[in-house]
Amino acid sequence: MKMKSSNPNDTTRKKTGFMKKMKVDIPLWLFVLPGMVLTFIFSYIPMYGVQIAFRNYNAKLGFFNSPWVGLKYFERFFHSPYFTDTISNTLILSVYALIAGFPIPILFALMLNSFRHKRYKKIIQTVTYAPNFISTVVMCGMIVLFLSPSVGVVNHIIEFFGGDAINFMANKNYWRHIYVWSGIWQGMGWSSVIYFAALAGVSPELHEAAVMDGASKFQLVRYIDFPSIVPTATILLILSCGSMLSIGFEKVFLLQNDLNLSVSQVISTYTYQVGMVDHNVSYSSAIGLFNSVVNAILLITVNKTADKLSGVSLW
């Protein structure tokens, strides 16, 4: 069997060509350098702390001297009486929010893009963008106040029409709907911005040609506008599925109480309860690591599925 001899000149040429490309792209490398440094500092360096999930962590002993316990805390979580309820609550809330909330920004962007009155279009955009800038604490305070059985405006309207006041926050049957639809109202306008950017790239000539052929507004949206934002929507859907188990902690925690705990206890709040309240850092780290691994698996699976079905993927 003959061995191929490597030519030193070819290697030198490749290195020279690579260095020339690097010199040409120096401004681009400098542009991404701060983001790379920050990602390395805040995302990669802290990864050495993952070992806490496999150790009986003691702050006095440190990371490396704490006793190694292997998969003890993972097994404890899997056999915990809270495991089934916590996972099911998280999945139900995530899937509900995805199904209800993902199409609405798309529909809103398509409808507003076909709206020809520019003045009113800007007013609608401003009104729908504004809720996104309300902080989570203020938003939850507004929700609790509006739905209060004694002073809430919603119950005042119900009583005005002859109904009885309802304690919405104490009824677990309403909690998921309150959480999801308040989030849709808050984020709908801002989430549609990226779709407006995609629609801005559609050539006006396509619309003009379609109108000359007798296409209606609905046909313009269906055959021109909607296909143009499908790749963007696919990427956002992949990213949303990749964070399926990562329900935001702040809003859930602020809307949570003892009466709705059976449906509002999700992974993030349970991790907080175990780690901060019960002071079991290793156990909470194991739960967080499990959450991250499942999200990574979902991201890879959905990305491959989207690549096979539509040819659009993250990588």
Side-chain angles (χ1 to χ4, degrees):
M1 185 176 179
K2 296 182 179 180
M3 300 294 293
K4 292 183 179 179
S5 60
S6 59
N7 191 343
N9 294 329
D10 294 339
T11 305
T12 304
R13 289 172 186 170
K14 290 180 180 179
K15 290 182 179 179
T16 304
F18 177 74
M19 294 303 297
K20 286 183 179 179
K21 291 181 180 179
M22 287 286 292
K23 290 180 180 180
V24 171
D25 296 332
I26 283 179
L28 296 178
W29 285 108
L30 293 176
F31 181 76
V32 301
L33 182 62
M36 295 173 64
V37 172
L38 290 175
T39 301
F40 179 76
I41 293 174
F42 292 104
S43 297
Y44 284 92
I45 293 179
M47 288 180 70
Y48 78 97
V50 169
Q51 62 181 298
I52 296 177
F54 304 94
R55 295 179 181 272
N56 186 8
Y57 178 69
N58 188 320
K60 293 181 180 180
L61 299 176
F63 289 107
F64 299 102
N65 295 324
S66 297
W68 182 270
V69 295
L71 300 177
K72 172 185 174 181
Y73 292 108
F74 293 94
E75 294 175 356
R76 177 179 171 183
F77 179 55
F78 297 151
H79 294 93
S80 169
Y82 301 103
F83 175 77
T84 303
D85 291 339
T86 302
I87 297 297
S88 61
N89 288 339
T90 305
L91 286 175
I92 291 172
L93 204 60
S94 297
V95 173
Y96 183 11
L98 183 64
I99 294 175
F102 186 78
I104 289 180
I106 299 175
L107 296 175
F108 176 72
L110 292 172
M111 292 174 61
L112 200 58
N113 185 67
S114 61
F115 195 66
R116 300 306 175 192
H117 298 280
K118 293 184 178 180
R119 180 180 178 183
Y120 296 108
K121 182 177 180 179
K122 291 182 179 179
I123 294 174
I124 294 172
Q125 286 179 317
T126 303
V127 171
T128 54
Y129 293 170
N132 180 74
F133 300 99
I134 302 175
S135 69
T136 305
V137 177
V138 174
M139 173 62 65
C140 293
M142 292 170 58
I143 294 172
V144 173
L145 183 63
F146 290 160
L147 298 179
S148 171
S150 57
V151 297
V153 63
V154 175
N155 276 305
H156 284 333
I157 295 174
I158 294 174
E159 291 175 342
F160 177 79
F161 288 100
D164 297 327
I166 303 172
N167 192 352
F168 289 97
M169 300 309 298
N171 192 329
K172 65 180 182 180
N173 296 324
Y174 294 113
W175 191 87
R176 288 188 179 120
H177 304 296
I178 294 170
Y179 177 90
V180 170
W181 289 103
S182 62
I184 292 173
W185 170 74
Q186 186 177 15
M188 175 187 68
W190 187 254
S191 299
S192 64
V193 170
I194 192 168
Y195 297 113
F196 282 120
L199 290 169
V202 178
S203 175
E205 297 177 355
L206 295 176
H207 284 266
E208 294 173 0
V211 170
M212 292 184 64
D213 289 338
S216 62
K217 285 188 176 181
F218 177 76
Q219 290 174 325
L220 292 176
V221 171
R222 180 180 178 183
Y223 295 108
I224 298 177
D225 293 338
F226 181 71
S228 67
I229 64 174
V230 167
T232 303
T234 303
I235 295 297
L236 294 178
L237 179 61
I238 294 171
L239 294 175
S240 298
C241 292
S243 57
M244 185 70 73
L245 296 184
S246 299
I247 295 290
F249 166 77
E250 295 87 356
K251 187 176 179 181
V252 176
F253 183 74
L254 292 171
L255 295 178
Q256 194 177 75
N257 57 55
D258 292 337
L259 297 175
N260 60 40
L261 191 63
S262 60
V263 297
S264 63
Q265 184 74 291
V266 295
I267 291 179
S268 58
T269 56
Y270 183 62
T271 304
Y272 168 80
Q273 174 70 31
V274 171
M276 301 300 294
V277 180
D278 298 338
H279 305 291
N280 197 333
V281 180
S282 295
Y283 187 29
S284 64
S285 299
I287 299 172
L289 182 58
F290 165 77
N291 187 17
S292 300
V293 171
V294 173
N295 282 334
I297 293 172
L298 287 173
L299 178 64
I300 295 171
T301 303
V302 175
N303 184 72
K304 288 186 176 181
T305 304
D307 187 23
K308 290 182 179 180
L309 295 178
S310 63
V312 179
S313 61
L314 293 175
W315 64 82

